[in-house]
Amino acid sequence: METIDDVGEFGLIARVLARLPLTDPDTLVPSGDDAAVLAIPDGRLVTSTDLLLEGRHFRRDWSSARDVGHKAAAQNFSDIAAMGGVPTALLLALVLPGDLPVAWVEEFAEGVAAECAPLGAVVAGGDMVRGELITISVTVFGTLEGRPPVLRSGARPGDAVCVAGRLGWSAAGLELLAAGIGGGDEASVGGTMADFLLAHRRPRPPYAAGPEAARAGATAMLDVSDGLLADLEHIAAASEVAVDIESASVPTAEGLRLDQVLTGGEDHALVATFGPATPIPAGWRRIGVVGEIGAGAPGVTVDGKPWDGPGGFSHFGPRE
């Protein structure tokens, strides 16, 4: 099997570039020079960055290289959508072991390209270095199309809390994999279990819902990456409000537990708040309300009470 050491750095770069979307009308100088040059029609650049580490964010025995490519792009594009923006380009930096098969990197690039395609986003450049563990760094750019960004700090008492996208599916898929179910592929299981496994391997953020919410007048918004309750805490703190979630209103599916829906991460749904007089856009579902802080601190409750189940994901220290 051909490895990275066999083809060398520049041979590998050529293989990867052949599989990635590299140009669009706003890419004035594409990958190939020391830096790319991108046009910013809106005059403002929306940007975010994230890392995926082998063994921490993905396992090669659980996810294909194409799955990892989809996931690397999706979790970053979702952050742009959460600001009300549209993703336009990304930079891709890879740390790769020398004995890694070239085919793995090629398939990874194809996964990135497939996630970019519906958005018309391009890969504007990046870097590759040798290391012990596969590490993927993605920096993504987007445009607000002339709209103001939707921040976490704009929620006000009386606003409706709404969600677009799925919740708990990725967490359910991860639990199946941890239990030894479906480690080969989704075809080894059936029904909703296969759907949960695919959701973990390839999240499906509702990209269009972010700009739609911004156009409708959303007061606050964010991407649900660490769990609904954990991420809503960020809106509560930034806006200095209380948030109450109605458990009967959250979107669910057969086979999901409430704790998976409320605290499971990596589905990359979007959660936003809308003023009382604002019509909720299609594709969004009301799941709660923003309230006054009162005597307590900003925070999130479920059915009027503190959540006493498992918390959301945290990279350091105890789970949130």
Side-chain angles (χ1 to χ4, degrees), residues 50-310:
D50 213 342
L51 285 168
L52 286 87
L53 177 65
E54 182 182 7
R56 180 68 171 177
H57 301 103
F58 68 90
R59 285 176 43 170
R60 278 188 270 168
D61 57 335
W62 285 359
S63 297
S64 70
R66 189 181 293 268
D67 292 334
V68 179
H70 274 278
K71 192 172 200 174
Q75 69 182 40
N76 283 274
F77 288 154
S78 182
D79 285 333
I80 300 298
M83 300 294 288
V86 176
T88 57
L90 62 81
L91 300 175
L92 183 62
L94 304 174
V95 179
L96 303 169
D99 60 356
L100 184 69
V102 171
W104 193 97
V105 188
E106 292 174 333
E107 290 169 15
F108 167 81
E110 290 165 359
V112 172
E115 196 68 28
C116 289
L119 298 168
V122 301
V123 179
D127 193 17
M128 294 182 187
V129 298
R130 185 187 186 103
E132 297 303 314
L133 285 176
I134 300 174
T135 305
I136 302 160
S137 174
V138 178
T139 300
V140 66
F141 307 103
T143 175
L144 293 168
E145 299 182 323
R147 296 179 296 272
V150 184
L151 309 180
R152 300 177 177 186
S153 55
R156 297 294 178 261
D159 286 359
V161 180
C162 303
V163 69
R166 306 183 300 195
L167 296 170
W169 289 51
S170 177
L174 178 60
E175 285 192 20
L176 290 171
L177 289 167
I181 300 171
D185 56 59
E186 295 87 33
S188 63
V189 297
T192 56
M193 287 197 297
D195 295 333
F196 296 152
L197 289 166
L198 182 59
H200 176 71
R201 291 174 170 132
R202 299 187 186 185
R204 288 170 44 192
Y207 297 126
E212 288 168 0
R215 286 190 288 266
T219 54
M221 184 159 53
L222 53 62
D223 156 79
V224 181
S225 55
D226 296 330
L228 177 65
L229 299 185
D231 286 318
L232 275 173
E233 289 280 357
H234 300 313
I235 285 182
S239 300
E240 298 185 340
V241 295
V243 174
D244 186 56
I245 298 303
E246 301 159 1
S247 62
S249 298
V250 295
T252 189
E254 181 182 357
L256 290 181
R257 305 187 309 270
L258 181 60
D259 66 284
Q260 292 170 327
V261 174
L262 294 179
T263 67
E266 293 195 326
D267 283 299
H268 298 287
L270 299 178
V271 63
T273 57
F274 297 89
T278 302
I280 296 172
W284 287 86
R285 175 173 178 161
R286 185 187 183 281
I287 60 169
V289 65
V290 177
E292 300 276 1
I293 295 176
V300 181
T301 54
V302 178
D303 299 326
K305 301 176 182 178
W307 173 251
D308 60 1

